[in-house]
């Protein structure tokens, strides 16, 4: 197992990329590699409902590993943090409130760069442990997205 994680192969086929995370929540994303197999992804998202909504900003450190036999395909893992700004409006009384929560997140996904195109796709899962009280607290295991990005080499 240690030898697998110590793989020093070139894991990425692009330097940085910008695009959209199409998921929960809808977000703008920017990913840049800081070494051959390590990347930083920052994102900002918005999710709205009839009675409550939130805006979040966060980032994650990711370690990318190639999947042998498929050029341009990598799997990655990592972690990071996020901050959520919640608003809630009671539809019966019209009263509203707001809160802020912080999240510690994990990151596990697949990343693919098309060989003859500046397009990068990734699909991931981001479980979050919310810190604070209010609308977001405890464990949130359902966060993830399909990201579509334009690569900047």
């Amino acid at each position: 197992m240690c030898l697998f994680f110590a793989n020093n192969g070139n894991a990425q086929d692009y330097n940085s990329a910008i695009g959209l995370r199409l998921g929960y929540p809808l977000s703008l994303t920017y990913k840049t590699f800081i070494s051959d197999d390590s990347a930083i992804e920052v994102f900002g998202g918005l999710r709205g409902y009839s009675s409550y909504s939130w805006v979040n900003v966060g980032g994650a450190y990711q370690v990318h590993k190639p999947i042998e036999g498929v050029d341009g395909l990598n799997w990655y893992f990592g972690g990071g943090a996020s901050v959520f700004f919640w608003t809630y409006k009671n539809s019966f009384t019209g009263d509203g409130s707001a809160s802020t929560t912080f999240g510690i997140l994990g990151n596990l996904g697949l990343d693919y760069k098309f060989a003859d195109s500046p397009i990068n796709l990734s699909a991931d899962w981001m479980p979050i442990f919310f810190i604070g009280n209010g609308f977001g607290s405890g464990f949130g295991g359902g966060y993830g997205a399909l990201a579509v990005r334009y690569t900047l080499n």
Side-chain angles (χ1 to χ4, degrees):
M1 192 73 159
C2 290
L3 291 174
F4 180 74
F5 284 110
N7 180 3
N8 290 326
N10 189 6
Q12 95 279 0
D13 294 317
Y14 61 96
N15 294 326
S16 56
I18 189 166
L20 290 174
R21 286 179 51 84
L22 307 169
Y24 193 69
L26 179 64
S27 305
L28 292 175
T29 175
Y30 176 75
K31 182 185 243 182
T32 188
F33 281 85
I34 56 175
S35 71
D36 283 345
D37 65 351
S38 301
I40 301 286
E41 181 178 2
V42 293
F43 49 87
L46 170 65
R47 184 73 175 185
Y49 291 103
S50 59
S51 60
Y52 72 95
S53 61
W54 78 81
V55 173
N56 77 306
V57 178
Y61 174 81
Q62 302 168 344
V63 177
H64 286 241
K65 299 293 180 183
I67 294 178
E68 300 300 324
V70 182
D71 291 337
L73 182 61
N74 300 289
W75 71 280
Y76 61 90
F77 61 94
S82 190
V83 61
F84 290 78
F85 304 99
W86 303 83
T87 60
Y88 175 78
K89 183 175 181 181
N90 186 320
S91 58
F92 295 108
T93 65
D95 295 338
S97 60
S99 70
T100 301
T101 48
F102 297 92
I104 304 298
L105 58 92
N107 201 203
L108 179 64
L110 294 172
D111 186 269
Y112 182 72
K113 166 63 174 73
F114 290 94
D116 297 325
S117 172
I119 302 300
N120 160 251
L121 298 176
S122 68
D124 66 10
W125 176 52
M126 274 191 192
I128 298 177
F129 183 77
F130 292 104
I131 301 169
N133 55 10
F135 306 118
S137 61
F139 180 73
Y143 298 93
L146 169 67
V148 180
R149 298 183 194 93
Y150 181 82
T151 60
L152 310 167
N153 283 337

